[in-house]
Structures are given as C-alpha cells and as structure tokens.
Amino acid sequence: TQLLEQSPQFLSIQEGENLTVYCNSSSVFSSLQWYRQEPGEGPVLLVTVVTGGEVKKLKRLTFQFGDARKDSSLHITAAQPGDTGLYLCAGEIPDSWGKLQFGAGTQVVVTP
Amino acid sequence: DAMVIQNPRYQVTQFGKPVTLSCSQTLNHNVMYWYQQKSSQAPKLLFHYYDKDFNNEADTPDNFQSRRPNTSFCFLDIRSPGLGDAAMYLCATSRESGGVQYFGPGTRLTVT
C-alpha cells in the first residue's frame, strides 16, 4: 500500500495570512491531485500535477510536485474565509488502472 | 449542468436492515467508483466499474455489493449494516481509468 501522509492535520489561521499544506510519501506516484471538500459535500478537484518539479498556480493557490514525484505542497497566499475546507491530496498509483491513494486531509479554517 | 448526483443525501437505517444508496451521472463517463469516508480519514475505495466490468477492492467486506444497470446509474447495497458502516459514501466518475475523478456530494449514512 502506498501511503500518503498529510500535514498538518488541522490549521487555523487569520484572514490574510499565508499557509502551506504538505503531502508526503516514500513511494512514487504517476500524478498527484489536490481536492477541496466542504462539510457535507464531495471533494472538488483543484489541480492535477504530473511532472516532477511541476508548479501550478490557481489564483492565490500554488501547487508543487516534488522532483521525485513522492511529495507535494499546497501554498495559499493571503487566505480568505472562503478557503476554509478539508484539503485532500490523492496520488495515482503507478502501474495500476489509475487507482488513487488519498491522504487523510488537512482541515483548514480561515477566520475573518 | 452535467454532474454526479447522489440520493439520498442523508440516510438512516437500523442495525442489520439492508440499505441501498444510489448514484447517477450525466457525464457519460465509463468509470464509476464508490468510496467510504469516515470522519478525519481518507476516502477508501470500495469498488469501481469500468463500463459493466466490476472491480472489487481486496479489503472490501462482503457486506458491500454494487450494481450498475446502465451507464448512468450505480448502486451501493449494504446487506446488513453494522454500526461501523456509518460513514459518508462518495460516488465518483471518470471518463477513463486513471482520468480525473468527479465526485458527487455524498450520502451520509447513520446506523442506529
């Protein structure tokens, strides 16, 4: 089983602050996806990173895939209350049918 | 709008009483997935269908069954729910295996 560990488990910050969420594994993944899940809803895809070292930006969100494709980070600049949610990373297991291994998530709370 | 729909959003069942959760999609995707997500845990894949081909995860209990009568619909049957089966059940679809997964809003199952 290829495990993905997310840290921290919980993060509470004030509006306007920056935050970084980490997703780490000892295994290589073919690609890595980041989702945001709000209470009582399903996860919504934010981004997919495929190439080692790849950096993608989505407005105030910056996603990076590690050079070895074993880890990833999500950085949010000037967080807003609307960024509140559970952030999940999911790695595509190599040589599988495309199976995803999810991390347990990081709960982010941004207070006004 | 094309989407993944799950019904009901909240389901309460009694210990041992069979229950069926439903998922439908208007995306015309080939692959449909069922995940179980417990509080503060990663979504856990139960099984998936590629078209009519059923693929069960090795650690999915026999208590869980699934049916996909056509491309649009997929059902999760829990034959004899136990207290430990209380969770959020997420349905997802993707165009092809390994493709981006689109999640429904989930069904919150309570077992009394």
Side-chain angles (χ1 to χ4, degrees):
Chain A
T1 303
Q2 300 191 221
L3 296 177
L4 270 172
E5 294 187 0
Q6 288 191 240
S7 61
Q9 287 185 307
F10 183 82
L11 195 54
S12 180
I13 61 170
Q14 298 277 344
E15 182 176 3
E17 293 181 338
N18 301 332
L19 69 98
T20 302
V21 174
Y22 299 94
C23 179
N24 294 296
S25 176
S26 59
S27 304
V28 174
F29 291 96
S30 303
S31 67
L32 197 131
Q33 301 174 13
W34 283 94
Y35 293 82
R36 181 170 66 215
Q37 185 177 19
E38 299 189 13
E41 300 293 332
V44 175
L45 181 69
L46 296 173
V47 78
T48 301
V49 285
V50 179
T51 307
E54 182 176 4
V55 176
K56 281 192 174 179
K57 292 191 175 184
L58 185 65
K59 296 183 180 179
R60 294 174 295 99
L61 278 61
T62 301
F63 304 85
Q64 184 162 7
F65 202 12
D67 291 341
R69 292 185 290 137
K70 294 181 180 181
D71 53 82
S72 182
S73 63
L74 158 60
H75 182 78
I76 302 179
T77 303
Q80 299 177 359
D83 296 324
T84 293
L86 179 68
Y87 288 83
L88 294 161
C89 64
E92 182 184 343
I93 299 172
D95 302 322
S96 73
W97 49 263
K99 182 177 179 179
L100 294 180
Q101 174 64 50
F102 279 86
T106 294
Q107 181 64 53
V108 172
V109 175
V110 183
T111 53
Chain B
D1 290 337
M3 57 198 311
V4 182
I5 303 162
Q6 291 189 244
N7 286 304
R9 295 292 308 275
Y10 301 91
Q11 176 74 57
V12 180
T13 191
Q14 292 178 329
F15 181 94
K17 185 175 181 180
V19 65
T20 295
L21 310 182
S22 73
C23 177
S24 63
Q25 54 129 341
T26 60
L27 297 161
N28 203 33
H29 282 174
N30 290 314
V31 191
M32 295 187 77
Y33 310 80
W34 279 104
Y35 288 87
Q36 178 192 65
Q37 185 182 27
K38 296 187 176 180
S39 182
S40 302
Q41 295 185 23
K44 177 182 179 296
L45 182 65
L46 297 174
F47 22 61
H48 76 281
Y49 275 94
Y50 185 96
D51 195 14
K52 295 181 180 180
D53 292 333
F54 176 71
N55 298 273
N56 198 30
E57 292 298 299
D59 56 354
T60 298
D62 293 339
N63 197 26
F64 292 84
Q65 306 284 319
S66 185
R67 296 170 283 136
R68 189 179 184 185
N70 54 54
T71 300
S72 300
F73 285 87
C74 194
F75 300 97
L76 170 61
D77 301 308
I78 308 177
R79 292 191 296 186
S80 182
L83 298 179
D85 296 328
M88 173 76 90
Y89 288 88
L90 296 166
C91 173
T93 74
S94 64
R95 185 177 303 278
E96 294 294 335
S97 293
V100 172
Q101 294 188 23
Y102 296 87
F103 284 82
T107 294
R108 170 72 64 186
L109 178 69
T110 300
V111 182
T112 61

